[in-house]
Amino acid sequence: MRIDFAKGSVFPVAVVCLVILVLWYLAAIPMNAIVTQPKIDAAGGGLYNTLLLSWNHERPVLPAPHQVALEVWKTVFMVAPWKVKSLVYHLWITLSSTLVGFILGTLLGVILAIGIVHVGSLEKSLMPWIIASQTIPILAIAPMLIVVLGKTGLPDIFTKASISTYLCFFPVAIGMVKGLRSPDKLQLDLMQTYNASASQVLWKLRFPAAMPFLFASLKVSVAIALTGAIVAELPTGAVSGIGARLLQGSYYGQTLQIWAALFVAAFAAATLVWLLGAFERMSWKRMGVKP
Amino acid sequence: MAENVITARDLDLTFQTDDGPVFALSKINLDVAEGEFVSFIGPSGCGKTTLLRAIADLEKSSSGTLTVNGMTPEQARLARAYGYVFQAPALYPWRTVERNVGLPLEIMALDDQAVRIQRNLDLVNLTGFEKKFPWQLSGGMQQRVSIARALAFDPKLLLMDEPFGALDEIVRDKLNQQLLELWDRTGKTVVFVTHSIPEAVFLSSKIVVMSPRPGRIIDVIDSVLPRKRTLDIRETSEFLKIAHRVREGLKAGHSYED
């Protein structure tokens, strides 16, 4: 008898999670040895003492999964969300600048793509700059950008969001250029036979045709927008936000704090991508995509 | 005698390619009167589609004159003088049937859109399919939607580029019949590109036989068949005689040689 586990996605995902957990627990033993070995020896050695002490150290090099889970539980659910100790508070700070940056970046990307598709010379003049902009390491340019923008008196959130915008516009611009050019020749000829204006072609043909490309780009850019927001918090020495938590964690050797912040950030990114997927499915329904 | 809808005099059209010039159309002279059903027939590369596209101002002629409704093709296009049916339905997949048919009406901002959509869907026997999306229809139905779309803004001239080329023969027969009925009822001028001899003879009041390299007109046949026809007419000797003349024309243009 053959049981088809592969049909659902739960089983494969669970297997991968299990493998990662096992590897993680195993790795925690040698990695923490530098801080735990004296204690293990003092307790008389043995497998029991090794596991107990390796997986429950207060300031481990690599915390065990359950320690991270407990830290997340404590800082997310056991603290009021407006307190500085709450990760929800920090996540909100980072998320708000993520969303501002994401929206601005998307707008910028779409506007650039519309310009490039309609004006031939813009492609030649802008495209190299757009591509070059992404070859600069973001860690190098972020401090300068933030310092310069900080001097202009813009609200802090826009200063931080500028990094997300900088990262986000690129996949949107590239995806939308391709999407806006995706209608086939006959569909475009048809518009010409109607003597349709460029804006009518844009709104009634190019834009709807570009929707699948837009959603693919948005999913990429929302995830990097979050990364950008975290990076933006590092050079300013911000006291709140996921980036600030990571920075403080590494200053004070609080590995648990770092890992908890990482997991919450990853969870937030996954949620944002999932939300976009839900919007995408809603748009499919409205646009009559074959199920 | 009815007025000329399309007039071509010594029309040349040359494409410049990397391999040198391609003479797509050479010395084309043609008159299409109002209310006629004219077919362009010939092998691939004879310029029949190019000629239709030139009439529609989708290609520019190199020399000679071409007028549509007494205007240049560009003026005619800007005046929205014709409806065009392509080789493929070219429906917009995110629009329902009724919104596809309504597309030209939206673009031209015409009145009574709902009434026009209904009337034209009725004309192609697609009442009841308004809310369907293109993928829910068969190929023949999709092409009928595209015909309804071409007729939606009531142009006097209908340009059709091998509209039934991708369909099987049974569906094609049925659509040919329906197209003739539609032509009879609406009194439109139709210019129809095909590479099927029976289709050309069955539909047309005038058959233009073309040949390749360079694309040119070999023969123009005025059909003696009555305006009202059924598929049975294809068994009659008049029909076969015209079909024979078309075939002779194609042969004279070396269309059957390699």
Side-chain angles (χ1 to χ4, degrees), chain A residues 19-33 36 51 54-55 61-65 259:
Chain A
V19 170
I20 291 173
L21 278 178
V22 168
L23 289 176
W24 188 347
Y25 269 113
L26 289 178
I29 300 169
M31 287 200 67
N32 290 334
T36 56
L51 298 188
S54 295
W55 292 344
V61 176
L62 178 66
W259 281 89

Side-chain angles (χ1 to χ4, degrees), chain A residues 69-267:
Chain A
L70 195 68
E71 174 75 10
V72 169
W73 174 263
K74 277 198 292 199
T75 49
V76 171
F77 298 103
M78 304 307 282
V79 187
W82 52 86
K83 294 270 174 62
V84 186
K85 289 218 159 188
S86 167
L87 262 184
V88 178
Y89 166 78
H90 292 286
L91 181 63
W92 169 244
I93 299 283
T94 304
L95 217 48
S96 53
S97 79
T98 301
L99 291 178
V100 171
F102 172 66
I103 291 166
L104 291 177
T106 302
L107 285 177
L108 180 63
V110 170
I111 290 167
L112 279 174
I114 290 174
I116 286 170
V117 167
H118 286 89
V119 186
S121 57
L122 276 187
E123 170 154 37
K124 289 200 182 83
S125 56
L126 280 183
M127 237 3 172
W129 289 104
I130 290 176
I131 291 166
S133 75
Q134 302 300 306
T135 63
I136 301 167
I138 189 67
L139 276 173
I141 203 168
M144 292 190 282
L145 206 59
I146 284 173
V147 167
V148 170
L149 284 177
K151 300 253 191 246
T152 59
L154 269 175
D156 243 16
I157 187 167
F158 286 103
T159 314
K160 271 165 63 184
S162 65
I163 305 297
S164 301
T165 304
Y166 185 90
L167 291 176
C168 257
F169 88 94
F170 181 71
V172 175
I174 299 291
M176 282 304 277
V177 165
K178 197 156 170 57
L180 293 173
R181 284 190 177 145
S182 67
D184 65 38
K185 186 165 167 27
L186 294 188
Q187 289 175 327
L188 285 164
D189 277 350
L190 184 72
M191 281 296 191
Q192 209 186 342
T193 68
Y194 298 152
N195 183 24
S197 68
S199 75
Q200 283 173 327
V201 177
L202 178 65
W203 292 114
K204 291 185 193 297
L205 175 57
R206 291 189 190 275
F207 228 93
M211 287 308 275
F213 295 84
L214 178 63
F215 274 109
S217 301
L218 288 184
K219 282 187 207 168
V220 176
S221 66
V222 79
I224 58 177
L226 186 67
T227 313
I230 292 172
V231 167
E233 285 164 353
L234 300 181
T236 47
V239 287
S240 50
I242 295 288
R245 289 286 281 193
L246 292 175
L247 207 58
Q248 287 163 6
S250 71
Y251 279 160
Y252 303 114
Q254 294 287 350
T255 44
L256 277 174
Q257 184 181 323
I258 296 176
W259 281 89
L262 276 181
F263 267 81
V264 167
F267 178 77

Side-chain angles (χ1 to χ4, degrees), chain A residues 184-196 200 204-205 208-209 285-291, chain B residues 53 57-58 77-78 80 82 84 86 88 90-95 103-104 106-108 133 135 149 153:
Chain A
D184 65 38
K185 186 165 167 27
L186 294 188
Q187 289 175 327
L188 285 164
D189 277 350
L190 184 72
M191 281 296 191
Q192 209 186 342
T193 68
Y194 298 152
N195 183 24
Q200 283 173 327
K204 291 185 193 297
L205 175 57
K285 215 167 182 186
R286 278 206 51 198
M287 292 177 71
V289 172
K290 190 175 175 177
Chain B
R53 289 177 64 87
D57 188 40
L58 295 173
R77 179 175 66 82
L78 298 184
R80 289 153 174 169
Y82 63 84
Y84 200 105
F86 293 92
L91 301 175
Y92 291 5
W94 52 87
R95 284 179 168 246
L103 177 70
E106 282 174 34
I107 287 173
M108 301 173 194
F133 283 99
W135 64 268
R149 181 180 59 186
F153 56 102

Side-chain angles (χ1 to χ4, degrees), chain B residues 11 23-28 45-47 210-217:
Chain B
L11 188 74
F23 302 101
L25 294 173
S26 165
K27 298 264 172 292
I28 299 288
C46 72
M210 298 181 70
S211 118
R213 285 181 297 274
R216 61 197 189 278
I217 294 175

Side-chain angles (χ1 to χ4, degrees), chain B residues 23-57:
Chain B
F23 302 101
L25 294 173
S26 165
K27 298 264 172 292
I28 299 288
N29 286 293
L30 181 71
D31 294 287
V32 176
E34 194 177 339
E36 272 194 297
F37 195 122
V38 179
S39 287
F40 299 162
I41 185 166
S44 324
C46 72
K48 53 193 192 298
T49 293
T50 308
L51 180 52
L52 195 72
R53 289 177 64 87
I55 294 167
D57 188 40

Side-chain angles (χ1 to χ4, degrees), chain B residues 149-216:
Chain B
R149 181 180 59 186
L151 292 171
F153 56 102
D154 214 20
K156 287 232 168 54
L157 175 61
L158 189 57
L159 305 177
M160 305 178 86
D161 183 7
E162 292 186 43
F164 309 138
L167 305 176
D168 67 66
E169 199 168 343
I170 299 163
V171 176
R172 187 189 263 232
D173 278 353
K174 206 169 82 188
L175 291 186
N176 280 342
Q177 182 89 56
Q178 288 178 355
L179 180 59
L180 268 187
E181 284 164 17
L182 195 149
W183 173 59
D184 194 43
R185 237 182 308 164
T186 58
K188 305 221 180 274
T189 312
V190 183
V191 182
F192 190 95
V193 167
T194 179
H195 50 225
S196 156
I197 297 173
E199 188 171 65
V201 180
F202 176 65
L203 291 172
S204 316
S205 62
K206 180 188 264 182
I207 302 160
V208 177
V209 184
M210 298 181 70
S211 118
R213 285 181 297 274
R216 61 197 189 278

